[in-house]
Amino acid sequence: MSKTPDLTDRLIRQKSAPALFSKGQSDYEAGNVTSVTRRGNLLNAEVMDNADQPYRVRVGFEQGCLTSVTCSCADDKSEWCEHIVATLLVVMRQPETIQERPTLEQLLAQLNRAQIQGLVQELVKQRPEIIDEIDYYITLNNEIISPIQSPNNQRPSPINPAPFRQQARDILYEGMRYFESLDGEDDPVTEELLDLIDNIQGLIEIGESYNALIVLEAIASACAADWDRVEQYGIESDEIVTAVDEAIAEAILSESLSSREVEQWRSRLKILQEEWSTEFPLSLESLSEGWDEPHLVQALQGTLSEPGIAENSSPNAFPDLVLIRLKILDRQERYQEYLNLAKAQGKIKQYLTMLGSLGRTTEAMEAARTQMKTMEEALSLGQTLRSNGEVSPALEVGVMGLKLRGDSQYKLASWTADLAEELGNTEVELEARKSAFYDNPTSRDYFKIKELAGENWFKYQPNLLNSLREHKIWNKTEVKVDIFLSEGLIDEAIAAVEGFGSYEIELVHRVMDAAIKHRPDWVIETAQPLAESILDRKKSEFYNQAIDWLKKVRAAYIQKEQWTRWKTYRQELLQIHARKHKFRGMLEDRGLD
């Protein structure tokens, strides 16, 4: 069984706002997490609050790493709410209280067919609405698992589209109710519709592309009829329309339609466009061109007079349609036609990657040297070559790619550096890690560069430090502290954590520990207000934090040889907070005399 998630206070603080962390800690200490159960790699918890019903928290994990964290409350899901915080604190600090329960698979394994049928019938009796979900699931899976085979090459019996239409309609109605009852910023409508459309890809992949067309039309029809129910809440249809359009185009190009069927589908798509006030350009273009358009035929045969023409130009005005064609050719193992079309359309990434996948390494390397233009193309080819065991050519591609344009510098540089390390090529590894650090600085790369540079470290250090100083991204605070402290740059480390006292608590403590000898005044000026703000809020559960800040104040006064001033300040605190008996006791117990 996978171990429970690896959690730290710091991780939980990073994922939640300070106020939410405080509320969550209060819920934890008050015992508001009434139960935590584990079923396989899923934790479920109930957290009592002021609501009539407990909030339900679900935590998914795999090999100690969190994979999903959700709560039934309406708080902003971009940050962990107090109920999630409280649950994770229980998991981290009281793992012995977690109740082990069987997984769904284990439970069902104890039942025979009749018992399972009885269970489903009882669930439908209690929740009648799930019958439509069952209908949808069975209809789709029966098609995928056992596709209908018809004699005499006739088209198989069409799938019943009703469950899919109802599924799309339910998503829209449930989305409307969600937006009416909750004040969240999630968009379950788009997410669930995209999942529904993605499921239909299974029909296309097993050769049931005509049935996929029928189902996709049903989904689009339901959306066209009821989209106004969610549109009033600001939900845009663009992403869904694009997904439907691409899926229909793929189904059309995967199916041999008669001229009569082509006209029928063109008419149906135009009606859908009018009903939904949108357009399906890829689908209509796929009906017009099919696979018989003259320029396309030449491209597939590799006989175009000007191969390697620029992307987005003739023979096809829709570049996304090219990618759909390539996907179909790959699925049908028509690899040479794939290469011809990719080259003719300037799809260099796909062209190079296919050459590598086919083991045509020499051709791939020659094409890479003359046609590769972006880091993304280099990374795709390099990864393909490496997976085929062609590690030396893969490294060469990585080195070439770092000189190209693109938005994948860190990803490509890190990949190249790791491969170079594996091959023992320290020169390439050094240059790749520098490239990675300049784009996205990490402590690992910095110290690795220092190790690789050896006696030449002085040549690289100034530029690396300047690059780090110039990075303004907020989540690089820990990296800056690690590196600045390691280099004895105390003032730089102080600047990195300035203003983070109540947020990056552990980092500020680290900097203070290093700064006490060199900047004791800064330690006092920073730690005193943080301790006093906690005491002023009269939150006894946070007195431990206040004591930790006061320890730094005391150490700084001692460093300044101002013991009397510390004693005076301590006495002032005791007078001001005379009624806080818990604080007074902690001050004495912790040796802060």
Side-chain angles (χ1 to χ4, degrees):
M1 180 178 289
S2 177
K3 65 177 183 177
T4 52
D6 295 326
L7 298 169
T8 63
D9 275 357
R10 181 178 177 185
L11 171 64
I12 300 174
R13 288 180 185 276
Q14 287 178 335
K15 294 290 188 177
S16 60
L20 294 176
F21 181 86
S22 298
K23 291 181 181 178
Q25 191 167 44
S26 297
D27 282 339
Y28 162 73
E29 294 175 349
N32 289 344
V33 184
T34 57
S35 67
V36 181
T37 60
R38 173 178 178 173
R39 297 184 187 274
N41 290 338
L42 185 66
L43 297 170
N44 291 282
E46 292 186 352
V47 184
M48 298 301 298
D49 208 329
N50 297 323
D52 294 334
Q53 298 294 327
Y55 293 104
R56 299 184 181 276
V57 175
R58 293 170 63 87
V59 179
F61 60 94
E62 187 73 39
Q63 297 300 319
C65 297
L66 293 176
T67 57
S68 62
V69 183
T70 61
C71 179
S72 60
C73 74
D75 284 351
D76 183 0
K77 296 303 187 292
S78 64
E79 294 179 324
W80 288 351
C81 65
E82 65 264 35
H83 313 115
I84 291 174
V85 170
T87 299
L88 295 182
L89 289 176
V90 171
V91 174
M92 181 177 68
R93 299 175 183 174
Q94 298 178 323
E96 70 280 359
T97 64
I98 300 175
Q99 303 175 36
E100 293 284 349
R101 302 296 300 159
T103 64
L104 176 61
E105 292 80 5
Q106 293 168 336
L107 290 170
L108 293 178
Q110 303 175 43
L111 305 178
N112 58 33
R113 181 185 180 90
Q115 290 172 320
I116 292 175
Q117 288 178 334
L119 171 63
V120 174
Q121 290 169 353
E122 180 61 28
L123 290 174
V124 172
K125 182 179 178 180
Q126 296 178 16
R127 292 181 55 201
E129 69 274 10
I130 68 174
I131 185 64
D132 293 321
E133 297 179 23
I134 295 173
D135 190 356
Y136 158 73
Y137 178 86
I138 292 175
T139 301
L140 178 60
N141 281 273
N142 281 345
E143 286 294 330
I144 292 178
I145 296 172
S146 303
I148 301 170
Q149 300 296 326
S150 297
N152 304 322
N153 294 323
Q154 295 179 353
R155 197 177 300 290
S157 301
I159 192 172
N160 177 17
F164 301 92
R165 183 182 294 107
Q166 186 61 47
Q167 180 80 355
R169 185 175 296 129
D170 288 344
I171 290 172
L172 293 171
Y173 274 71
E174 289 170 9
M176 178 189 66
R177 288 195 290 268
Y178 169 84
F179 294 123
E180 285 181 345
S181 60
L182 298 175
D183 190 25
E185 295 183 3
D186 287 354
D187 177 8
V189 172
T190 299
E191 180 180 350
E192 292 179 24
L193 282 175
L194 288 175
D195 287 343
L196 178 60
I197 295 165
D198 187 58
N199 286 337
I200 310 307
Q201 293 291 328
L203 292 174
I204 301 175
E205 290 169 4
I206 64 167
E208 289 289 317
S209 48
Y210 196 83
N211 275 333
L213 270 176
I214 293 173
V215 171
L216 289 166
E217 182 195 24
I219 294 171
S221 176
C223 290
D226 292 320
W227 193 264
D228 58 335
R229 296 184 179 276
V230 295
E231 189 174 35
Q232 60 183 313
Y233 299 101
I235 303 302
E236 301 289 342
S237 63
D238 294 354
E239 194 172 358
I240 302 301
V241 170
T242 298
V244 169
D245 189 25
E246 290 177 351
I248 291 177
E250 182 178 350
I252 289 171
L253 292 174
S254 299
E255 184 68 27
S256 297
L257 297 176
S258 66
S259 57
R260 181 169 177 271
E261 288 173 325
V262 167
E263 291 307 314
Q264 288 177 337
W265 278 104
R266 180 179 286 111
S267 175
R268 291 158 83 168
L269 286 174
K270 288 182 177 180
I271 292 173
L272 273 178
Q273 286 186 149
E274 293 180 6
E275 291 177 346
W276 203 352
S277 299
T278 189
E279 295 182 353
F280 297 113
L282 296 178
S283 301
L284 291 172
E285 188 67 16
S286 65
L287 286 171
S288 298
E289 286 191 357
W291 291 93
D292 300 325
E293 197 276 333
H295 286 91
L296 175 61
V297 172
Q298 293 179 42
L300 292 170
Q301 295 174 346
T303 58
L304 275 180
S305 58
E306 297 182 11
I309 54 181
E311 187 175 336
N312 298 353
S313 60
S314 177
N316 195 306
F318 294 92
D320 289 333
L321 198 56
V322 178
L323 295 179
I324 292 172
R325 292 185 190 280
L326 292 175
K327 181 179 179 181
I328 294 170
L329 293 171
D330 186 14
R331 185 166 60 237
Q332 296 175 351
E333 299 183 357
R334 295 160 62 184
Y335 299 128
Q336 190 55 52
E337 290 174 290
Y338 180 108
L339 290 169
N340 292 339
L341 180 60
K343 186 175 182 180
Q345 281 289 73
K347 299 293 184 183
I348 303 304
K349 176 181 176 180
Q350 288 74 18
Y351 177 70
L352 294 174
T353 304
M354 179 57 75
L355 283 175
S357 298
L358 295 173
R360 294 160 64 171
T361 305
T362 301
E363 291 179 68
M365 294 303 294
E366 291 177 356
R369 295 186 187 100
T370 58
Q371 299 183 50
M372 193 166 65
K373 297 292 188 292
T374 69
M375 292 179 175
E376 290 72 27
E377 294 166 359
L379 182 59
S380 180
L381 174 58
Q383 290 173 329
T384 301
L385 292 174
R386 184 179 185 180
S387 66
N388 286 350
E390 299 282 0
V391 289
S392 293
L395 183 61
E396 183 181 345
V397 169
V399 173
M400 286 191 288
L402 290 176
K403 300 175 183 177
L404 303 176
R405 60 181 173 82
D407 298 322
S408 303
Q409 181 174 330
Y410 176 76
K411 191 172 182 179
L412 175 61
S414 296
W415 178 85
T416 303
D418 290 343
L419 181 56
E421 182 178 18
E422 179 184 319
L423 296 176
N425 192 326
T426 56
E427 182 179 352
V428 170
E429 183 187 356
L430 174 61
E431 293 303 313
R433 294 209 183 278
K434 284 165 52 184
S435 179
F437 186 88
Y438 287 138
D439 187 62
N440 181 27
T442 65
S443 301
R444 175 178 180 268
D445 282 331
Y446 183 86
F447 295 119
K448 192 67 178 178
I449 294 168
K450 187 174 184 177
E451 175 188 332
L452 293 168
E455 61 183 15
N456 292 320
W457 172 237
F458 71 94
K459 296 180 180 179
Y460 307 114
Q461 184 190 35
N463 289 336
L464 294 171
L465 289 175
N466 285 335
S467 174
L468 181 61
R469 293 183 186 103
E470 293 170 0
H471 267 271
K472 304 301 182 183
I473 303 176
W474 68 271
N475 62 358
K476 291 301 172 185
T477 305
E478 183 177 4
V479 176
K480 291 183 177 182
V481 168
D482 287 344
I483 294 174
F484 290 147
L485 289 184
S486 74
E487 299 293 358
L489 300 172
I490 306 301
D491 288 342
E492 307 258 19
I494 288 174
V497 299
E498 205 71 66
F500 282 137
S502 60
Y503 185 63
E504 294 281 7
I505 294 177
E506 293 182 19
L507 288 181
V508 177
H509 278 298
R510 281 182 57 196
V511 176
M512 284 186 176
D513 288 338
I516 284 174
K517 291 184 179 180
H518 307 278
R519 292 281 303 279
D521 288 332
W522 173 79
V523 174
I524 294 170
E525 293 167 1
T526 303
Q528 278 186 353
L530 291 170
E532 292 167 7
S533 67
I534 293 173
L535 297 173
D536 291 340
R537 293 201 304 269
K538 301 179 181 180
K539 294 288 187 179
S540 61
E541 64 268 27
F542 299 123
Y543 285 173
N544 277 323
Q545 293 181 20
I547 294 296
D548 289 339
W549 293 123
L550 291 175
K551 285 180 179 179
K552 297 297 187 292
V553 175
R554 179 178 181 274
Y557 274 126
I558 292 174
Q559 178 65 33
K560 287 166 61 69
E561 298 182 354
Q562 294 180 354
W563 178 255
T564 302
R565 291 192 62 181
W566 159 249
K567 298 287 286 186
T568 301
Y569 176 66
R570 180 182 183 278
Q571 189 60 33
E572 290 173 354
L573 284 178
L574 288 173
Q575 291 175 355
I576 294 171
H577 304 286
R579 294 188 176 184
K580 297 181 175 69
H581 301 294
K582 181 178 179 180
F583 167 67
R584 293 173 63 89
M586 294 174 69
L587 199 61
E588 295 171 0
D589 292 342
R590 305 298 173 85
L592 293 177
D593 50 14

